[in-house]
Amino acid sequence: MRIEFPNAAREDFPWAKAQLRIGSAPDNDLVLAATQAAAQHLLIQQDRRGWVLQVLPSADRIYVNARPVRERALLRAGDVVSVGDCRMLLCADQDPLQRPVLKVPEQGRCTVALRAVAGPLSGRVMPLRESLELGPQGRFPLELGQGDIAAMRIRWDDGKLLLDLPQASVRHPLRVNGIIVKSVALQPGDQIGLAMHRFVLDAPGMEPEPEILVPEALPEHLPEEAAGPPGEVWWLIATAAVLALGIALVLLIRF
């Protein structure tokens, strides 16, 4: 993980461990100003779900993509965490341009959709068939404020899902998982960010098929069959039953 501080002179902060402590006390992993954060403000831990943010008891609420978080939140690359007036952009370790390109067969494309998770379009799910454009000429506008304009397009090309920017913003770069891009092949779970907008690519049809485990074949002969003919087993059961009955009768007569 790499933390970038937008619109600030502070250098990027790389972090590769499973836990990150943030606050104004000097024993934190990432130290913020006392005017921005409590001594022990928040904790980010990595587990099987990904990055989990926890607001510590001594801290005020924080914001993730401009939404308040009081206790916990799941984070993904491309999220912006705000503590006081400090904004921290979480960036993926791998550049999306360096990943292998996924090619999807025709039948896997019907499940692909763009889900808005932050910004004016938050809550909308936009299915992606042949292509989807957001902006002045698209079905959905991209409000950027201060008269800024941008257009974003996602389209299929030879089985690859491509993102490009027909019209770039003057002030806001296009990001995928926190990394600035102009054109890139997308993968499931990617977060696309443009100004205050955040979109996540839901694409179960692009996921690799789960491995199917074939059960081991049963042996031709069970172990008990090798013990002897089936009749021997029944004689043993009958003998044991007679012995048990005899012992019970002896004990009954005796007492």
Side-chain angles (χ1 to χ4, degrees), residues 121-138:
L121 297 174
S122 182
R124 289 183 177 270
V125 177
M126 296 159 274
L128 203 157
R129 297 177 178 88
E130 293 302 321
S131 65
L132 175 66
E133 183 168 337
L134 291 81
Q137 306 301 322

PDB file of all heavy atoms in Angstrom, residues 121-138:
ATOM      1  N   LEU A 121     -23.475  10.303  -8.123  1.00  0.00           N
ATOM      2  CA  LEU A 121     -24.161   9.137  -8.695  1.00  0.00           C
ATOM      3  C   LEU A 121     -24.202   7.957  -7.740  1.00  0.00           C
ATOM      4  O   LEU A 121     -24.610   6.858  -8.132  1.00  0.00           O
ATOM      5  CB  LEU A 121     -23.468   8.711  -9.993  1.00  0.00           C
ATOM      6  CG  LEU A 121     -23.487   9.719 -11.138  1.00  0.00           C
ATOM      7  CD1 LEU A 121     -22.639   9.223 -12.297  1.00  0.00           C
ATOM      8  CD2 LEU A 121     -24.917   9.969 -11.609  1.00  0.00           C
ATOM      9  N   SER A 122     -23.804   8.157  -6.497  1.00  0.00           N
ATOM     10  CA  SER A 122     -23.700   7.066  -5.536  1.00  0.00           C
ATOM     11  C   SER A 122     -25.002   6.272  -5.434  1.00  0.00           C
ATOM     12  O   SER A 122     -26.097   6.840  -5.356  1.00  0.00           O
ATOM     13  CB  SER A 122     -23.334   7.621  -4.158  1.00  0.00           C
ATOM     14  OG  SER A 122     -23.192   6.578  -3.227  1.00  0.00           O
ATOM     15  N   GLY A 123     -24.881   4.956  -5.449  1.00  0.00           N
ATOM     16  CA  GLY A 123     -26.041   4.079  -5.357  1.00  0.00           C
ATOM     17  C   GLY A 123     -26.507   3.536  -6.692  1.00  0.00           C
ATOM     18  O   GLY A 123     -27.239   2.553  -6.736  1.00  0.00           O
ATOM     19  N   ARG A 124     -26.102   4.148  -7.788  1.00  0.00           N
ATOM     20  CA  ARG A 124     -26.511   3.681  -9.116  1.00  0.00           C
ATOM     21  C   ARG A 124     -25.658   2.487  -9.550  1.00  0.00           C
ATOM     22  O   ARG A 124     -24.468   2.426  -9.281  1.00  0.00           O
ATOM     23  CB  ARG A 124     -26.379   4.791 -10.161  1.00  0.00           C
ATOM     24  CG  ARG A 124     -27.408   5.906 -10.004  1.00  0.00           C
ATOM     25  CD  ARG A 124     -27.238   6.908 -11.121  1.00  0.00           C
ATOM     26  NE  ARG A 124     -28.220   7.964 -11.083  1.00  0.00           N
ATOM     27  CZ  ARG A 124     -29.402   7.917 -11.696  1.00  0.00           C
ATOM     28  NH1 ARG A 124     -29.725   6.856 -12.409  1.00  0.00           N
ATOM     29  NH2 ARG A 124     -30.243   8.930 -11.602  1.00  0.00           N
ATOM     30  N   VAL A 125     -26.312   1.546 -10.222  1.00  0.00           N
ATOM     31  CA  VAL A 125     -25.632   0.410 -10.837  1.00  0.00           C
ATOM     32  C   VAL A 125     -25.876   0.497 -12.331  1.00  0.00           C
ATOM     33  O   VAL A 125     -27.027   0.460 -12.783  1.00  0.00           O
ATOM     34  CB  VAL A 125     -26.131  -0.933 -10.275  1.00  0.00           C
ATOM     35  CG1 VAL A 125     -25.449  -2.093 -10.984  1.00  0.00           C
ATOM     36  CG2 VAL A 125     -25.876  -1.006  -8.773  1.00  0.00           C
ATOM     37  N   MET A 126     -24.804   0.627 -13.106  1.00  0.00           N
ATOM     38  CA  MET A 126     -24.916   0.856 -14.543  1.00  0.00           C
ATOM     39  C   MET A 126     -24.413  -0.365 -15.305  1.00  0.00           C
ATOM     40  O   MET A 126     -23.206  -0.648 -15.278  1.00  0.00           O
ATOM     41  CB  MET A 126     -24.108   2.106 -14.933  1.00  0.00           C
ATOM     42  CG  MET A 126     -24.649   3.380 -14.303  1.00  0.00           C
ATOM     43  SD  MET A 126     -23.429   4.730 -14.227  1.00  0.00           S
ATOM     44  CE  MET A 126     -22.611   4.339 -12.681  1.00  0.00           C
ATOM     45  N   PRO A 127     -25.317  -1.145 -15.912  1.00  0.00           N
ATOM     46  CA  PRO A 127     -24.867  -2.330 -16.653  1.00  0.00           C
ATOM     47  C   PRO A 127     -23.999  -1.937 -17.837  1.00  0.00           C
ATOM     48  O   PRO A 127     -24.201  -0.898 -18.459  1.00  0.00           O
ATOM     49  CB  PRO A 127     -26.175  -2.988 -17.107  1.00  0.00           C
ATOM     50  CG  PRO A 127     -27.193  -1.899 -17.073  1.00  0.00           C
ATOM     51  CD  PRO A 127     -26.782  -0.965 -15.983  1.00  0.00           C
ATOM     52  N   LEU A 128     -23.044  -2.785 -18.133  1.00  0.00           N
ATOM     53  CA  LEU A 128     -22.114  -2.502 -19.210  1.00  0.00           C
ATOM     54  C   LEU A 128     -22.274  -3.578 -20.278  1.00  0.00           C
ATOM     55  O   LEU A 128     -21.867  -4.718 -20.079  1.00  0.00           O
ATOM     56  CB  LEU A 128     -20.687  -2.477 -18.679  1.00  0.00           C
ATOM     57  CG  LEU A 128     -19.669  -1.696 -19.508  1.00  0.00           C
ATOM     58  CD1 LEU A 128     -18.510  -1.288 -18.629  1.00  0.00           C
ATOM     59  CD2 LEU A 128     -19.171  -2.512 -20.681  1.00  0.00           C
ATOM     60  N   ARG A 129     -22.878  -3.199 -21.364  1.00  0.00           N
ATOM     61  CA  ARG A 129     -23.090  -4.159 -22.457  1.00  0.00           C
ATOM     62  C   ARG A 129     -21.962  -4.000 -23.475  1.00  0.00           C
ATOM     63  O   ARG A 129     -20.902  -4.570 -23.328  1.00  0.00           O
ATOM     64  CB  ARG A 129     -24.457  -3.940 -23.057  1.00  0.00           C
ATOM     65  CG  ARG A 129     -25.596  -4.203 -22.028  1.00  0.00           C
ATOM     66  CD  ARG A 129     -26.964  -3.932 -22.590  1.00  0.00           C
ATOM     67  NE  ARG A 129     -28.010  -4.242 -21.627  1.00  0.00           N
ATOM     68  CZ  ARG A 129     -28.466  -3.381 -20.723  1.00  0.00           C
ATOM     69  NH1 ARG A 129     -27.963  -2.142 -20.664  1.00  0.00           N
ATOM     70  NH2 ARG A 129     -29.404  -3.742 -19.871  1.00  0.00           N
ATOM     71  N   GLU A 130     -22.188  -3.223 -24.522  1.00  0.00           N
ATOM     72  CA  GLU A 130     -21.108  -2.992 -25.494  1.00  0.00           C
ATOM     73  C   GLU A 130     -20.178  -1.884 -25.020  1.00  0.00           C
ATOM     74  O   GLU A 130     -18.964  -1.990 -25.117  1.00  0.00           O
ATOM     75  CB  GLU A 130     -21.697  -2.651 -26.860  1.00  0.00           C
ATOM     76  CG  GLU A 130     -22.441  -3.810 -27.516  1.00  0.00           C
ATOM     77  CD  GLU A 130     -21.552  -5.033 -27.708  1.00  0.00           C
ATOM     78  OE1 GLU A 130     -20.368  -4.838 -28.059  1.00  0.00           O
ATOM     79  OE2 GLU A 130     -22.027  -6.153 -27.498  1.00  0.00           O
ATOM     80  N   SER A 131     -20.771  -0.808 -24.474  1.00  0.00           N
ATOM     81  CA  SER A 131     -19.954   0.304 -23.980  1.00  0.00           C
ATOM     82  C   SER A 131     -20.790   1.152 -23.044  1.00  0.00           C
ATOM     83  O   SER A 131     -22.024   1.061 -23.012  1.00  0.00           O
ATOM     84  CB  SER A 131     -19.430   1.156 -25.145  1.00  0.00           C
ATOM     85  OG  SER A 131     -20.504   1.789 -25.814  1.00  0.00           O
ATOM     86  N   LEU A 132     -20.112   1.973 -22.270  1.00  0.00           N
ATOM     87  CA  LEU A 132     -20.774   2.880 -21.336  1.00  0.00           C
ATOM     88  C   LEU A 132     -19.957   4.157 -21.278  1.00  0.00           C
ATOM     89  O   LEU A 132     -18.746   4.115 -21.055  1.00  0.00           O
ATOM     90  CB  LEU A 132     -20.862   2.254 -19.946  1.00  0.00           C
ATOM     91  CG  LEU A 132     -21.417   3.142 -18.828  1.00  0.00           C
ATOM     92  CD1 LEU A 132     -22.890   3.456 -19.079  1.00  0.00           C
ATOM     93  CD2 LEU A 132     -21.235   2.479 -17.471  1.00  0.00           C
ATOM     94  N   GLU A 133     -20.628   5.295 -21.503  1.00  0.00           N
ATOM     95  CA  GLU A 133     -19.940   6.582 -21.441  1.00  0.00           C
ATOM     96  C   GLU A 133     -20.609   7.467 -20.406  1.00  0.00           C
ATOM     97  O   GLU A 133     -21.837   7.558 -20.333  1.00  0.00           O
ATOM     98  CB  GLU A 133     -19.933   7.281 -22.802  1.00  0.00           C
ATOM     99  CG  GLU A 133     -19.153   8.598 -22.774  1.00  0.00           C
ATOM    100  CD  GLU A 133     -18.892   9.163 -24.156  1.00  0.00           C
ATOM    101  OE1 GLU A 133     -18.910   8.385 -25.128  1.00  0.00           O
ATOM    102  OE2 GLU A 133     -18.668  10.386 -24.259  1.00  0.00           O
ATOM    103  N   LEU A 134     -19.791   8.116 -19.585  1.00  0.00           N
ATOM    104  CA  LEU A 134     -20.260   9.060 -18.586  1.00  0.00           C
ATOM    105  C   LEU A 134     -19.652  10.418 -18.898  1.00  0.00           C
ATOM    106  O   LEU A 134     -18.447  10.523 -19.148  1.00  0.00           O
ATOM    107  CB  LEU A 134     -19.851   8.631 -17.177  1.00  0.00           C
ATOM    108  CG  LEU A 134     -20.529   7.376 -16.601  1.00  0.00           C
ATOM    109  CD1 LEU A 134     -19.880   6.105 -17.111  1.00  0.00           C
ATOM    110  CD2 LEU A 134     -20.480   7.395 -15.077  1.00  0.00           C
ATOM    111  N   GLY A 135     -20.484  11.442 -18.892  1.00  0.00           N
ATOM    112  CA  GLY A 135     -20.000  12.779 -19.216  1.00  0.00           C
ATOM    113  C   GLY A 135     -21.009  13.543 -20.025  1.00  0.00           C
ATOM    114  O   GLY A 135     -22.194  13.170 -20.090  1.00  0.00           O
ATOM    115  N   PRO A 136     -20.601  14.612 -20.677  1.00  0.00           N
ATOM    116  CA  PRO A 136     -21.538  15.494 -21.402  1.00  0.00           C
ATOM    117  C   PRO A 136     -22.359  14.763 -22.464  1.00  0.00           C
ATOM    118  O   PRO A 136     -23.538  15.050 -22.650  1.00  0.00           O
ATOM    119  CB  PRO A 136     -20.616  16.540 -22.043  1.00  0.00           C
ATOM    120  CG  PRO A 136     -19.392  16.532 -21.200  1.00  0.00           C
ATOM    121  CD  PRO A 136     -19.221  15.127 -20.718  1.00  0.00           C
ATOM    122  N   GLN A 137     -21.753  13.810 -23.185  1.00  0.00           N
ATOM    123  CA  GLN A 137     -22.459  13.100 -24.247  1.00  0.00           C
ATOM    124  C   GLN A 137     -22.963  11.733 -23.807  1.00  0.00           C
ATOM    125  O   GLN A 137     -23.586  11.027 -24.591  1.00  0.00           O
ATOM    126  CB  GLN A 137     -21.516  12.921 -25.450  1.00  0.00           C
ATOM    127  CG  GLN A 137     -20.901  14.203 -25.964  1.00  0.00           C
ATOM    128  CD  GLN A 137     -21.949  15.209 -26.401  1.00  0.00           C
ATOM    129  OE1 GLN A 137     -22.974  14.849 -26.972  1.00  0.00           O
ATOM    130  NE2 GLN A 137     -21.691  16.493 -26.122  1.00  0.00           N
ATOM    131  N   GLY A 138     -22.715  11.357 -22.570  1.00  0.00           N
ATOM    132  CA  GLY A 138     -23.094  10.037 -22.102  1.00  0.00           C
ATOM    133  C   GLY A 138     -24.450  10.021 -21.431  1.00  0.00           C
ATOM    134  O   GLY A 138     -25.119  11.046 -21.281  1.00  0.00           O
TER     135      GLY A 138
END
